[in-house]
Amino acid sequence: MKYLSVILACAVFAAPLAAESMVTAILKSIEDQMKMKTDIKANVTLTQQKAEQGTKLIEMVYFRRDSDDSFLIVMQSPENEKGNGYLRVGENFWMYRKNTRTFQHINRDESIGGSDAKGDDFEQRNLTELYAPALDAGGKEIVSEEMLGKVPVSRLEIKAIVNDVDYPRKIYWVRRDNNLILKEESYALSGTLMQTVYFVKYTVIDGRYVAVKHIYIDEFEKGNKTIVDISNIQTNKLDNSLFTKAYLENLSK
Amino acid sequence: MQMNNYLISISIRNLARQKRRNFFLGLAIAIGMMILVISNAFTNGISDVMFNRIMRWVTGHVTISFNEKGNIRREVCRDRERMISAIMESDGETVSEIDESIGTFAKAIGNGSADNIILVAVDLSKSVDAKKLKETEESFKMVEGSFYDLKRTDIENAAILSEEKARYLNVRKNDVIRLRFRNIYGQDQAARLTVTGIMKNSNIFMQPVVFSEMSNVRHVMGFRPWETGNINVVLKNPKKDAVALADRIHEKLTPGRAIIYGTLAYAGNSTPVAVTGYRSDNESLAKLAGILEPSGNSEIKKDGAFISAKLAKRMGINSGSRVLVNYPNKFEEKSSVFPIKITGTFNGDINDNLIIVNEADFYNAYYDNLPRVSPENTAPAFSLAETHPLSALLATEWILLKRTANTDELKKKYQDMGKQKWKATLVDVRTMYESASDILKLEGVLNIITFSAVLVLFFIILIGVINTLRMTIKERTREIGTIRAIGMQKSDVRAIFILESFFLTLISCLAGIALAFITMRLLSLVHFEMQDNPMGMLLIQNHLHFMPSSGGIVFNLLLILLMAVATAYFPARRAAGLSPANALRHYE
């Protein structure tokens, strides 16, 4: 799940779309929305519902400094994760364990706090460098206009142009008036629908639309879903001392 | 010779004179020998199961591992044939088999139930001899279906799983399991497996394993025909050859420079070009700045790309230009395009047709489609002397990790590996001694413990031998006097007593060895149900596995004979030293 890279960055501008490549223009518009110009602090709550395990609530505080692609996640709940943290500075990514007060190097694809979210879900990457319009047999972009409920949307299909992505094919439903993403379907290489995301609530922060609530439906394992809520979003400049190992260690004192 | 035969006859006759005493003494020696043989055969059996029946399948005796971008979960070798050639050239004579190790952790969904599994690829395309067939049948006892049903192509991805897993997933033969896992690129992938067989798992570690045919697993995991995962080498004589072969393979795998030779296209013009990567750690970046002398004040960054100033001038390329490098692929008759955003030019006198790109972007293009040096490429070959300061800063085909001697060193190597952000593929050559040196230690410790215990036992037994000899000498003092009086030499008297102990020990040990074989045969018939116990992995088909070694038995036999002779020597010398007159006067 690409949680925060999509979520926090969905501040929206109504951009006129280029006529020659509608999909590329929409992707560019979404990408522009994703590019954060300021630091961010937000509270993130993941409510994971699993068919065989019941509901699990995961709360964390997320700090992001865009200038050097750093972020810090401090776990708040569940109780066994409280005080643990994840720190990314440049290319280094550490996991901090409060009980042992140790840092361990981890990979980008490591799970965060026992949730389905992974380290790379919190990174910011350019959509147009990862995906391009998918073409039909006739070489035309797969894009159509339809209604999502009562909202007029553009339905566009994109495919990965690099291997380093979670899903090689996606379908977006975006509002025709302002390119807000309302729904996203992600497909595996085998063509199986793996996940559907609904962006159900947006708010305006510093003049931008930010998606603050989305629902991730696991289409592969029916009955599993994750609801992401983002609150207390602040865009003030963050202190450099936040993105240090010492900050996490001091939290456990 | 005649005299020697005479002494032997006397010794054997004397043994027969004291039947009861010698029987009990011999019985004690036989039991000791039996315990020694059984314990050695048992530890050898454990070692055989671990190395030839478990590690042989899991890691082979020598493993060549590939971790792309240093990621422990991304095990991809981009040029399988080259690696196999390197193994065969290292010493193909010692190699019994070369296996591709392909598998992944996955979430499986059966009929209303989900669980984690390990999907493992089995290569059934190779010819199978009778021994291998027997081993396979022993290792995978089928409850339903046949192991060779995995070859079926009339169904989607035939698979075999354990009885327990089938029960948990609520699936039976011909049912479909859906899988979710990460393919070699880290993408979320889904696949469907059709259950063609259910096996009885021999131990707890086999419970999560689901087997499918190699070609199916390769396909769903995203391997192309020329790619593979780790490579496992099975040896004919692993204990003898593993380390030496690994060292030779390691030497063969010294990486060359990674270069893409292609055609640079920009603004309608094109020219042959060589592209390589530069290391992007802070230390390397600082050194590069001094060597490349970038024009203007352009800084060498982690995401940069620098073009030779002469080439840039010739093609009209500036900082910020986006250029395309078209290069032929090594394994397919097609070309790939490597788009590069030039961030600066370099003046250093290195090569006039060169572009140096940050290693992250370079390796992405390089590994995605390995380049071919085509005859039509006219770019001057790019070569640097090893002593050139730039040499150590440029990309190599892969990073070859140093050899290690044991598990502890291997663990440390991987810990260090995790601390650095690698962009290239890390290649490691290791043997079973590194993968499982603890098992070898366990075997050694078990052998020492049993050997020490049996030595204590023999020490006690040999005290009995000394005591028996002393009694015998006392009982036969007059007899010694008689044979000395009629001309037998001291050395012959001594030899009679030593030979008596020697034959008693030899006969007892041979009886002990025979008893050991009978006992091992009987113990092997006992059936153990240990499917939920990790120790079950040491059994074969739920039976104990003994592996007596003739070398070990002969060594132990000689050692015990030597001990017996040494023990008998001193009482025998005392007997031989008796004066004939005094001995004849002896009366009890």
Side-chain angles (χ1 to χ4, degrees), chain A residues 222-240:
Chain A
K222 296 289 181 191
N224 292 355
K225 71 174 177 182
T226 303
I227 301 166
V228 179
D229 284 293
I230 301 170
S231 56
N232 298 329
I233 302 173
Q234 294 168 28
T235 54
N236 305 333
K237 181 155 179 57
L238 296 171
D239 197 298
N240 285 341

Short mmCIF file of all heavy atoms in Angstrom, two decimals, chain A residues 222-240:
data_model
loop_
_atom_site.label_atom_id
_atom_site.label_comp_id
_atom_site.label_asym_id
_atom_site.label_seq_id
_atom_site.Cartn_x
_atom_site.Cartn_y
_atom_site.Cartn_z
N LYS A 222 -10.13 -11.93 0.61
CA LYS A 222 -11.39 -11.23 0.88
C LYS A 222 -11.62 -11.12 2.39
O LYS A 222 -11.32 -12.04 3.16
CB LYS A 222 -12.56 -11.98 0.24
CG LYS A 222 -12.50 -12.01 -1.28
CD LYS A 222 -12.78 -10.65 -1.88
CE LYS A 222 -12.75 -10.72 -3.41
NZ LYS A 222 -12.75 -9.38 -4.01
N GLY A 223 -12.15 -9.97 2.78
CA GLY A 223 -12.43 -9.76 4.20
C GLY A 223 -11.37 -8.92 4.88
O GLY A 223 -11.57 -8.43 5.99
N ASN A 224 -10.22 -8.73 4.22
CA ASN A 224 -9.16 -7.91 4.82
C ASN A 224 -9.27 -6.49 4.28
O ASN A 224 -9.41 -6.29 3.07
CB ASN A 224 -7.78 -8.43 4.44
CG ASN A 224 -7.49 -9.77 5.08
OD1 ASN A 224 -8.28 -10.27 5.88
ND2 ASN A 224 -6.37 -10.36 4.73
N LYS A 225 -9.21 -5.52 5.17
CA LYS A 225 -9.14 -4.14 4.69
C LYS A 225 -8.44 -3.27 5.74
O LYS A 225 -8.36 -3.63 6.92
CB LYS A 225 -10.52 -3.59 4.36
CG LYS A 225 -11.42 -3.31 5.53
CD LYS A 225 -12.70 -2.65 5.03
CE LYS A 225 -13.67 -2.43 6.20
NZ LYS A 225 -14.93 -1.85 5.77
N THR A 226 -7.91 -2.18 5.27
CA THR A 226 -7.22 -1.25 6.16
C THR A 226 -7.78 0.15 5.93
O THR A 226 -7.88 0.59 4.79
CB THR A 226 -5.70 -1.25 5.88
OG1 THR A 226 -5.20 -2.57 6.02
CG2 THR A 226 -4.96 -0.33 6.83
N ILE A 227 -8.14 0.79 7.03
CA ILE A 227 -8.63 2.17 6.93
C ILE A 227 -7.53 3.08 7.46
O ILE A 227 -7.01 2.87 8.55
CB ILE A 227 -9.92 2.36 7.76
CG1 ILE A 227 -10.99 1.38 7.26
CG2 ILE A 227 -10.42 3.80 7.69
CD1 ILE A 227 -12.16 1.22 8.20
N VAL A 228 -7.18 4.06 6.65
CA VAL A 228 -6.11 4.99 7.04
C VAL A 228 -6.73 6.35 7.35
O VAL A 228 -7.45 6.91 6.52
CB VAL A 228 -5.07 5.13 5.91
CG1 VAL A 228 -3.97 6.10 6.31
CG2 VAL A 228 -4.48 3.78 5.56
N ASP A 229 -6.46 6.83 8.55
CA ASP A 229 -6.93 8.17 8.94
C ASP A 229 -5.72 9.04 9.24
O ASP A 229 -4.82 8.61 9.97
CB ASP A 229 -7.80 8.08 10.20
CG ASP A 229 -9.17 7.54 9.90
OD1 ASP A 229 -9.92 8.25 9.21
OD2 ASP A 229 -9.46 6.41 10.33
N ILE A 230 -5.73 10.24 8.70
CA ILE A 230 -4.63 11.17 8.97
C ILE A 230 -5.21 12.40 9.66
O ILE A 230 -6.20 12.96 9.20
CB ILE A 230 -3.93 11.56 7.67
CG1 ILE A 230 -3.39 10.31 6.98
CG2 ILE A 230 -2.79 12.52 7.92
CD1 ILE A 230 -2.91 10.54 5.60
N SER A 231 -4.57 12.79 10.74
CA SER A 231 -5.09 13.95 11.48
C SER A 231 -3.93 14.81 11.96
O SER A 231 -2.76 14.39 11.89
CB SER A 231 -5.93 13.46 12.66
OG SER A 231 -5.16 12.61 13.48
N ASN A 232 -4.28 15.96 12.48
CA ASN A 232 -3.29 16.91 13.02
C ASN A 232 -2.15 17.18 12.04
O ASN A 232 -0.97 17.13 12.41
CB ASN A 232 -2.69 16.40 14.35
CG ASN A 232 -3.74 16.25 15.41
OD1 ASN A 232 -4.71 17.01 15.41
ND2 ASN A 232 -3.58 15.28 16.27
N ILE A 233 -2.46 17.44 10.82
CA ILE A 233 -1.41 17.70 9.83
C ILE A 233 -0.84 19.10 10.06
O ILE A 233 -1.58 20.08 10.14
CB ILE A 233 -1.97 17.59 8.40
CG1 ILE A 233 -2.57 16.19 8.19
CG2 ILE A 233 -0.89 17.87 7.36
CD1 ILE A 233 -3.30 16.03 6.89
N GLN A 234 0.46 19.15 10.20
CA GLN A 234 1.14 20.44 10.37
C GLN A 234 2.22 20.57 9.30
O GLN A 234 2.91 19.59 9.00
CB GLN A 234 1.77 20.53 11.75
CG GLN A 234 0.75 20.54 12.88
CD GLN A 234 1.39 20.33 14.24
OE1 GLN A 234 2.55 20.67 14.44
NE2 GLN A 234 0.63 19.78 15.16
N THR A 235 2.35 21.76 8.76
CA THR A 235 3.33 21.93 7.68
C THR A 235 4.45 22.90 8.09
O THR A 235 5.15 23.43 7.24
CB THR A 235 2.63 22.44 6.41
OG1 THR A 235 1.90 23.62 6.74
CG2 THR A 235 1.69 21.42 5.84
N ASN A 236 4.60 23.10 9.39
CA ASN A 236 5.69 23.97 9.85
C ASN A 236 7.03 23.28 9.60
O ASN A 236 7.10 22.06 9.52
CB ASN A 236 5.58 24.22 11.37
CG ASN A 236 4.22 24.78 11.72
OD1 ASN A 236 3.59 25.42 10.87
ND2 ASN A 236 3.77 24.50 12.92
N LYS A 237 8.08 24.09 9.52
CA LYS A 237 9.42 23.51 9.34
C LYS A 237 9.78 22.70 10.59
O LYS A 237 9.59 23.16 11.72
CB LYS A 237 10.44 24.63 9.10
CG LYS A 237 11.84 24.10 8.89
CD LYS A 237 12.70 25.04 8.09
CE LYS A 237 14.10 24.48 7.91
NZ LYS A 237 14.15 23.17 7.30
N LEU A 238 10.30 21.51 10.37
CA LEU A 238 10.63 20.64 11.50
C LEU A 238 12.09 20.82 11.89
O LEU A 238 12.95 21.07 11.04
CB LEU A 238 10.37 19.18 11.12
CG LEU A 238 8.91 18.82 10.82
CD1 LEU A 238 8.81 17.42 10.24
CD2 LEU A 238 8.06 18.90 12.08
N ASP A 239 12.32 20.65 13.18
CA ASP A 239 13.68 20.78 13.70
C ASP A 239 14.56 19.64 13.18
O ASP A 239 14.14 18.49 13.12
CB ASP A 239 13.62 20.72 15.23
CG ASP A 239 14.88 21.26 15.85
OD1 ASP A 239 15.96 20.67 15.59
OD2 ASP A 239 14.79 22.26 16.55
N ASN A 240 15.79 20.00 12.81
CA ASN A 240 16.72 18.98 12.28
C ASN A 240 16.99 17.86 13.29
O ASN A 240 17.27 16.73 12.92
CB ASN A 240 18.05 19.62 11.88
CG ASN A 240 17.90 20.38 10.58
OD1 ASN A 240 16.95 20.15 9.83
ND2 ASN A 240 18.81 21.29 10.32
#
